[in-house]
Amino acid sequence: MHRAIGGATGEALSLQRRSELAIYRRQMDRARGLLDEALDVARQSDVGFHLLDRIYGTRIAMATQPDAALGVLEEAEANVRGPLESCPGCRITFAIPATIAAARGHVLDLAAGHQQQSEYLANVVMKLPAWYASLHEAQAHIERASGRVAAAREGFAAAAQEFRACGHTLDAARCRELAG
């Protein structure tokens, strides 16, 4: 379906979405290969800047260890810069995983900066229910990193409920598990 979007852009998005499925199936080598291919295709596209945040955001999200996620975040910030490489509407696909990675790595000032950007993007630019659920999840990670365990559980539970209402069952399950 994503290939129908057109040319290299649709191909890159298709590859990125397939990488998410590989991550869910815990096929990390496959996911990395798909993301590398998606990045190559996106860079060749005239509108690939819509996808760079999404591709790098997925790379950040797939890093299971906090230090590794911070390393991927640093690489991503160095590679996706300026208006020619980032779309304001698509930026949330980077800002949410960046918030979570920074919180998991206990770099709370970095997490707060990305969380502020995420809030602006969700509340002003995107205004979609699933992004509000993502905000709750990201904030819950910050709460957990700050030692506020009860607030983190509440945030994960709220995110699970919102994801479920949006039909995002995998995200809801992840957040339910984090809440428990």
Side-chain angles (χ1 to χ4, degrees):
M1 176 186 90
H2 289 107
R3 289 181 179 161
I5 293 170
T9 303
E11 181 71 14
L13 182 57
S14 177
L15 290 163
Q16 183 274 326
R17 297 293 287 166
R18 288 174 50 209
S19 75
E20 289 177 335
L21 181 59
I23 292 166
Y24 171 74
R25 292 177 175 165
R26 303 198 190 294
Q27 300 170 340
M28 298 309 187
D29 288 339
R30 177 158 173 70
R32 269 187 282 286
L34 289 165
L35 286 172
D36 288 346
E37 190 176 348
L39 186 59
D40 287 342
V41 173
R43 291 213 183 272
Q44 295 171 28
S45 168
D46 291 340
V47 292
F49 63 92
H50 286 287
L51 299 170
L52 296 179
D53 286 316
R54 180 178 291 276
I55 293 166
Y56 277 105
T58 303
R59 280 183 165 182
I60 293 165
M62 76 178 273
T64 57
Q65 299 300 315
D67 287 344
L70 287 172
V72 176
L73 173 56
E74 185 177 330
E75 174 192 346
E77 287 178 328
N79 285 299
V80 182
R81 301 166 51 144
L84 296 178
E85 293 187 341
S86 184
C87 164
C90 299
R91 186 65 179 176
I92 197 164
T93 61
F94 176 89
I96 293 287
T99 301
I100 293 170
R104 288 181 56 230
H106 295 280
V107 184
L108 296 180
D109 56 333
L110 182 61
H114 284 292
Q115 177 70 0
Q116 183 179 14
Q117 183 181 39
S118 297
E119 288 174 2
Y120 171 78
L121 292 166
N123 292 318
V124 177
V125 179
M126 295 306 288
K127 298 183 181 183
L128 297 172
W131 290 120
Y132 297 127
S134 295
L135 281 176
H136 278 105
E137 180 183 6
Q139 183 60 45
H141 279 281
I142 292 173
E143 297 291 358
R144 177 189 279 169
S146 299
R148 295 185 289 274
V149 178
R153 284 190 188 126
E154 289 175 17
F156 287 129
Q161 183 176 358
E162 290 178 25
F163 277 130
R164 188 174 40 256
C166 296
H168 292 235
T169 56
L170 298 178
D171 294 320
R174 179 188 63 248
C175 289
R176 257 192 324 275
E177 185 178 320
L178 289 167

